[in-house]
Amino acid sequence: MLLNDAANGTSNLAATLKAIYSKRDNHILPFVGAAFDHPASDKLRVLVVGINAYVSANDWDKINPAWFARWFEHSAHRFYKGVKEEATNLAAALVDRSEALHGMKLVWPDSFYATNAIKTYLPEADGKRADQVSPEPPDEHASTWRDELDAIAEHGALPHLIVIFGEPFWKHAWSAFKPPHSDNYKHLRVLDHQHTNGPSLHFVNRLRPGGANGEQTALLVRLRHPSSRTKKGSVSWLLAQKDPWSLAKG
């Protein structure tokens, strides 16, 4: 679903998110799949977070907040194709291995919510490659991440799986579920937060969030950037680790 539809009253969640994101100039809008827009107990919900989206100089004056959501939904570029493949493969494996999620329906793109660590478009000259992005922008946008988590909890659409692509936003992702941030939400409750040990330390956290849809088990997972060639942090590497999946059984 494209959040432009919020103006037509199609989604309370979309309207809330649009208000959160539009506080920033040149902002993106997230992609919100039907499983988030209309939560159901048998639909898997997967939230994916990239790093940033960039726009060429020729298109800068024509920026549309909905571009990002369209790029994700249609796997329009190589990065989004990689995100779709890796997030879908990981989610399918989780459904297969997790007692808590066994039998849940995973559907592309309905099961997905997609956003970036940086909630605004960057100029191509500054944001075409992930290594061009300095640590400061993710820091500046972490408050929007926490606001959207609270909105998702209010809407009763908490994700079962959160996938963070790349390292820059990882500390903001997991710290949103720890004090002091976890003490300040209006709607999101964090009843448990555990990290794994061994090789998957800093790659997998197990969460017990609560919101309008009650409590549930969720995994927060860090994957390598889709363009990376390193094995560590890939889906195949993660699936080979035993400790993360023992956490998924609760």
Side-chain angles (χ1 to χ4, degrees), residues 44 91 94-105 160-161 216-219 248 250:
L44 189 74
L94 179 60
V95 169
D96 183 58
R97 298 185 182 206
S98 170
E99 294 175 2
L101 303 180
H102 187 71
M104 297 195 75
K105 297 177 183 177
H160 303 98
L161 173 64
Q216 64 187 52
T217 298
L219 284 187

Side-chain angles (χ1 to χ4, degrees), residues 96-168:
D96 183 58
R97 298 185 182 206
S98 170
E99 294 175 2
L101 303 180
H102 187 71
M104 297 195 75
K105 297 177 183 177
L106 172 66
V107 180
W108 176 270
D110 293 0
S111 293
F112 289 82
Y113 176 115
T115 186
N116 275 337
I118 299 173
K119 309 300 184 181
T120 58
Y121 295 104
L122 297 182
E124 183 176 13
D126 299 326
K128 187 172 184 178
R129 301 192 315 273
D131 60 9
Q132 291 177 287
V133 180
S134 68
E136 286 77 16
D139 291 344
E140 295 170 5
H141 293 252
S143 61
T144 302
W145 163 246
R146 295 190 293 271
D147 288 345
E148 70 186 314
L149 287 175
D150 207 31
I152 291 169
E154 179 185 14
H155 192 70
L158 286 169
H160 303 98
L161 173 64
I162 304 173
V163 183
I164 310 298
F165 283 93
E167 186 177 6

Side-chain angles (χ1 to χ4, degrees), residues 16-98:
T16 302
L17 292 168
K18 187 173 184 179
I20 291 170
Y21 274 69
S22 62
K23 295 176 183 178
R24 302 178 184 274
D25 294 334
N26 302 319
H27 65 89
I28 66 170
L29 286 173
F31 172 82
V32 182
F36 285 85
D37 195 42
H38 303 289
S41 59
D42 63 338
K43 301 288 182 60
L44 189 74
R45 293 184 294 275
V46 183
L47 193 164
V48 300
V49 184
I51 299 175
N52 69 281
Y54 66 87
V55 174
S56 68
N58 290 337
D59 292 328
W60 189 257
D61 292 335
K62 300 176 286 187
I63 282 177
N64 184 333
W67 282 348
F68 169 78
R70 292 193 185 114
W71 295 339
F72 176 82
E73 182 179 12
H74 299 291
S75 304
H77 305 290
R78 184 171 64 178
F79 171 79
Y80 299 102
K81 290 178 182 177
V83 167
K84 175 182 178 180
E85 179 180 2
E86 297 200 14
T88 301
N89 289 343
L90 180 61
L94 179 60
V95 169
D96 183 58
R97 298 185 182 206
S98 170

